[in-house]
Amino acid sequence: MRKTSSFINGTLLALTVGLILLGVIMVLSCSQSAFSTSLDSNVYENMGKQLIWFSLGLAALRFFSSTDYNVWERYSRPLMLVTIIMLGMVFLFPEVNGARRWIPIAGQKIQPSELAKISIIIYLSSVWADRRERLASFINGVLYPMLFVGIALALILLEPAHSATFFIGLIALTIWFVAGGRLLHLAPVFAAMTTGIAAAIYAKPVLFKRILAFLHPEEHKSDKYYQVWQSLIGFAHGGLWGKGLGESNVQTPFSETDFIFSTMGEELGFMKCSLVLIAFLLLIWIGYGIALRCRNPFGSLLAVGCTTAIGVQAALNVAVVTGSIPTTGIALPFISYGGSSLLVSMSLMGLLMSVAKDAFDEELEKPRRRARAIA
């Protein structure tokens, strides 16, 4: 059977909506668990907010999927400038839990570092689609295009949001490598990343304590490793088939956000959680398939960026809650509670669907509208 964009996009939409609805159910389940110890709160509040963001996300997905993705190449530079301005605006507002990461708008909080994912993916896909022949030069092919991105990452690091900085930097490296970047250029890039990580650990000793807790979990299970330790206990209690929705009794902090997968492990069990991982793997396989099939260099890099953003974020979150890597603040796409994260994830899926229309329906393939190259 000949695959068409309708079939591919229908599959992507089904996977996306299925994961989101599962997330809404799990957010309610986490709230019920928290509600048992906090009777003066509304158990349906988080679920209601998540459904509102889901509705906005559907509109965003529809908008990006129905818009010719070539349009975004022309606006890649203005989008980066707006993103940098928004990242700077977070410092105008008071700290929340020791960080400045949000802009309050109409009673809701917008997280610019989430929106930066879209802008940086579009910007780098545009720049390196034009500069593939110049990637042999480190200065012209890598350093100049990364100036805007470097400013954005520096602002995210100052919030501070170390995990988001590392994650977005990893997306940028993936796009650069797929565009044709030379492995020789990885040496200065890794040197810069190592220096940045060392400086962050020096400035924030809590990061070093997280690494120590990861290396010696038994010694830190009551403080820095408490979240992961409780998460592992939840997985152990869940077994193969789980205890049932709303039946979790392991109190993992941030159970509805960063550690929602551990609640799923306890309530749904290993078998059902495996189906969730298979859904993510299928989504990633389709996304990279779209990138390989698309003959438009901008569309191909755009598909790589969108797929990497979803896939790596899911992999990092699952790795943290299973104790495979040190603790980070990365949410599980589509499932974790959080409006900005859900809206951005659905927007990325919309962009991917737009690329699929060209990749699988050749008769609909549109000529690329080249953006003005930067110096």
Side-chain angles (χ1 to χ4, degrees), residues 41 56 85 133 150-151 162 171 210 218 226 246 257 293 346:
S41 61
L56 295 175
I85 292 172
E133 70 283 354
I151 294 172
H162 305 94
I171 296 173
R210 286 183 181 179
E218 289 278 356
Y226 177 77
T257 54
R293 190 178 178 99
M346 296 185 73

Side-chain angles (χ1 to χ4, degrees), residues 1 31 112 142 149 158 191 223 233 240-241 254 273 325 352 356 363:
M1 182 180 69
S31 299
V142 181
V149 177
L158 290 174
D223 45 56
I233 292 174
L240 282 178
W241 302 106
F254 307 106
C273 285
I325 61 174
L352 187 60
E363 66 274 10

